[in-house]
Amino acid sequence: MKNKLLNLLVAALLLGGCGTGESTQNGAVEDSGWKTLKKVSGREIIAELKQTVDPSPEREKAIEALEDYPEFGEPTTELKEDLAVQAIEGPAAIESVEEVYGNFEEEGILFFENQRDGAEQSGIWIGVKEPDERVQKLLDMLQPRVDAGEIVAEPIYIFRSPHTQQELYDLQEDVLEVLKGMEHGRGSFGLSANTVTSDIEITHDFLKPEQQEELKKQFPDHTFHFTQEGKMVAEPGESSIIWPEETFTDSPVEEGGFILSIEEKRILVVGGSEDATYYSFPEAGELKVGQRVNVEASGGILESYPAQGSAKFVEVLPDYKPIGAVLSESQAVVKVLDEFGGKSLDALMVIKDISYDVEKKVWVFKILQGNEEVTFEVVDQ
């Protein structure tokens, strides 16, 4: 549990914040009922710490130590306050929540808000769905640290949350099951439930409008945000291969990578402008070794070498065939695979560049195999 809570500190660098609108109403903690003291950003504050002393010199020194942060952009007062909360109040609050509640994911939510992302004030938010006597224990643990000047009270917000983190996890699982039934093995998606709002955020390349509406109907208490990534997958019965309008061109083609091998429902694309990647592709049998292609991946890419992924679309580029040449570029690639690639299979062959020498009537390859770069010529015949 400790690691999960501490991971929230890292997530703070990514989570944005809403603007903070604060009422002037104030009040003391109730032993029963946990009444709303005020509202901040539309959230019901149910308990708050009291700022009793000025921050200690030790805390000020800790803030000064945060000045070297060029990776976060131009140093500003707002950025400094954001980082101070993440480095000082944040860990103190997380540590206390962990000690009081143990598995807090079943009790509420934790998140940061940052001024650089739009919030009026930097803060760590502790949302409790069903507040009880443990809220007072949390206050009793943190207040002495405020009194000692170790932390300041203002950036720590304790509010009534409409949901817990565990409920969001359960919600994601429920939505996931519905999405899997809609995917039918075609396309990919990403899914998350927003910690702050509980909105469901889905990235996809296959959901039709009617499927999106069906999801909304099945989960009417939640707001959905759909984002399409890349082209939509081909419909059943449609090809995922994009063929060129003209098979050949007499102008060199610079983009794309080369198909160096074809297996059952899998292609290896290497060189040119493409990284070395094995793509699973149901229509692999309709392609040819040597073709120059652009691949649009579906979903994530496994960072092995070669990398591994799935191809959503394969665009076959026009085959370069200079005027007067006997071989086309793809045919020359097949020859270089036969003549050069077969000499050493210990290292992957990467075609860095191909050109055609009109006078010598040869195709000139610049090839990287392992750490060695060589020039290899294929006679145009």
Side-chain angles (χ1 to χ4, degrees):
M1 178 61 194
K2 183 174 183 179
N3 289 337
K4 289 184 179 179
L5 289 176
L6 290 179
N7 283 341
L8 289 166
L9 189 58
V10 177
L13 303 178
L14 303 175
L15 275 174
C18 305
T20 304
E22 182 173 336
S23 70
T24 57
Q25 181 183 357
N26 211 336
V29 173
E30 299 280 344
D31 286 337
S32 61
W34 295 104
K35 297 179 181 179
T36 300
L37 305 180
K38 58 187 177 185
K39 285 192 175 183
V40 179
S41 293
R43 303 170 192 135
E44 299 180 12
I45 304 300
I46 57 173
E48 56 185 1
L49 298 163
K50 305 294 182 181
Q51 191 61 50
T52 54
V53 298
D54 292 332
S56 66
E58 287 75 16
R59 185 183 185 279
E60 295 301 315
K61 289 179 182 178
I63 293 177
E64 292 302 321
L66 297 171
E67 288 189 347
D68 186 20
Y69 39 76
E71 66 272 20
F72 295 112
E74 180 183 354
T76 62
T77 300
E78 292 77 15
L79 176 59
K80 195 171 184 178
E81 290 175 2
D82 287 345
L83 295 178
V85 171
Q86 292 161 17
I88 300 172
E89 279 72 35
I94 290 172
E95 180 183 344
S96 298
V97 167
E98 180 190 55
E99 187 166 339
V100 171
Y101 286 92
N103 186 9
F104 190 66
E105 291 177 349
E106 297 182 354
E107 306 291 342
I109 58 174
L110 270 167
F111 60 89
F112 290 86
E113 284 190 326
N114 303 310
Q115 291 186 66
R116 66 185 182 281
D117 294 324
E120 287 188 13
Q121 178 178 306
S122 311
I124 178 167
W125 291 76
I126 305 169
V128 185
K129 183 174 183 181
E130 297 180 359
D132 53 25
E133 72 280 355
R134 289 174 292 180
V135 174
Q136 186 62 55
K137 290 181 180 178
L138 183 61
L139 291 172
D140 292 343
M141 186 170 293
L142 288 170
Q143 186 63 51
R145 301 187 68 170
V146 176
D147 298 339
E150 297 175 16
I151 62 176
V152 294
E154 188 177 28
I156 301 176
Y157 295 96
I158 304 173
F159 72 105
R160 192 187 316 275
S161 172
H163 54 264
T164 70
Q165 190 64 56
Q166 186 59 55
E167 288 173 341
L168 295 181
Y169 292 152
D170 294 341
L171 172 63
Q172 286 182 188
E173 288 298 318
D174 292 341
V175 176
L176 177 62
E177 289 303 310
V178 178
L179 277 173
K180 286 180 177 178
M182 293 178 170
E183 184 188 20
H184 299 301
R186 299 175 67 87
S188 62
F189 62 86
L191 166 67
S192 65
N194 188 286
T195 298
V196 181
T197 65
S198 80
D199 290 356
I200 301 170
E201 300 167 353
I202 296 175
T203 59
H204 71 96
D205 58 9
F206 68 93
L207 285 172
K208 298 178 181 179
E210 56 268 28
Q211 292 174 310
Q212 296 179 22
E213 289 302 316
E214 178 60 28
L215 279 165
K216 293 177 183 179
K217 289 180 181 179
Q218 293 199 39
F219 301 92
D221 297 331
H222 298 277
T223 299
F224 280 78
H225 301 279
F226 298 98
T227 303
Q228 180 181 324
E229 289 193 333
K231 301 185 185 74
M232 293 283 278
V233 295
E235 293 289 333
E238 294 181 352
S239 176
S240 297
I241 301 175
I242 303 172
W243 297 101
E245 292 184 4
E246 299 291 337
T247 303
F248 296 100
T249 177
D250 56 12
S251 300
V253 179
E254 301 295 334
E255 61 181 311
F258 302 96
I259 298 178
L260 296 194
S261 72
I262 297 176
E263 303 171 11
E264 184 178 0
K265 298 184 178 180
R266 189 168 83 152
I267 59 176
L268 172 62
V269 179
V270 185
S273 60
E274 294 280 332
D275 294 328
T277 307
Y278 277 109
Y279 291 102
S280 61
F281 188 59
E283 297 174 65
E286 298 183 33
L287 300 170
K288 294 180 179 180
V289 170
Q291 287 176 321
R292 191 188 280 259
V293 296
N294 279 328
V295 179
E296 181 173 340
S298 178
I301 300 293
L302 181 63
E303 294 182 0
S304 56
Y305 190 78
Q308 299 177 62
S310 297
K312 178 165 57 175
F313 289 99
V314 174
E315 178 187 10
V316 177
L317 300 172
D319 197 0
Y320 172 43
K321 188 174 184 179
I323 296 174
V326 176
L327 301 176
S328 69
E329 182 183 69
S330 66
Q331 291 171 324
V333 170
V334 172
K335 279 205 166 189
V336 84
L337 284 171
D338 291 339
E339 298 180 25
F340 183 89
K343 293 181 179 180
S344 175
L345 299 178
D346 296 332
L348 187 66
M349 187 183 77
V350 178
I351 300 173
K352 302 293 290 184
D353 183 64
I354 304 177
S355 60
Y356 182 71
D357 190 321
V358 177
E359 293 184 359
K360 295 175 63 177
K361 299 291 184 181
V362 295
W363 288 88
V364 182
F365 287 77
K366 290 184 179 179
I367 295 172
L368 181 67
Q369 191 164 37
N371 296 321
E372 181 183 4
E373 182 172 322
V374 298
T375 298
F376 192 81
E377 294 183 353
V378 174
V379 178
D380 183 35
Q381 62 181 25

